[in-house]
Amino acid sequence: AVPALLAAVGLMVLANLVASILATYLEAYGIPMPDSSSSMTSSPLSLVLNLISTAVLPALLEEMVFRGYVLQALRPQGDGIAVVLSSLPLFWDW
């Protein structure tokens, strides 16, 4: 688990570096980066929508994509086995 965690942190740092370089080049060509705070208002609806779009949807999509991949990979073993094994909270969910 520790090597996977270190690899994930390294990939996160690399992704942030690439995003920063891309943002610098875009701003040099006159394309400013959007201000994320401009999408937030003080209304409860805005809070709920931002919470859904930043916390709920990515988690649901990750589960659907990952579980779909595992399910398809296990289908040659039989549909019942594939459904049971793909729904177990094994090491990859920690």
Side-chain angles (χ1 to χ4, degrees), residues 19-68:
S20 296
I21 291 170
L22 182 61
T24 301
Y25 280 117
L26 289 175
E27 287 178 357
Y29 287 106
I31 304 172
M33 297 306 295
D35 183 20
S36 62
S37 63
S38 66
S39 66
M40 294 282 292
T41 61
S42 59
S43 71
L45 178 61
S46 174
L47 176 64
V48 169
L49 291 175
N50 279 301
L51 181 64
I52 289 171
S53 68
T54 59
V56 176
L57 283 178
L60 286 175
L61 290 174
E62 177 187 352
E63 281 296 313
M64 287 191 305
V65 169
F66 183 73
R67 295 291 179 202

Side-chain angles (χ1 to χ4, degrees), residues 3 6-7 9 16 35 37 50 53 62 70 72 77 89 91:
L6 292 175
V9 170
N16 283 327
D35 183 20
S37 63
N50 279 301
S53 68
E62 177 187 352
V70 171
Q72 290 302 319
Q77 308 302 321
F91 177 76

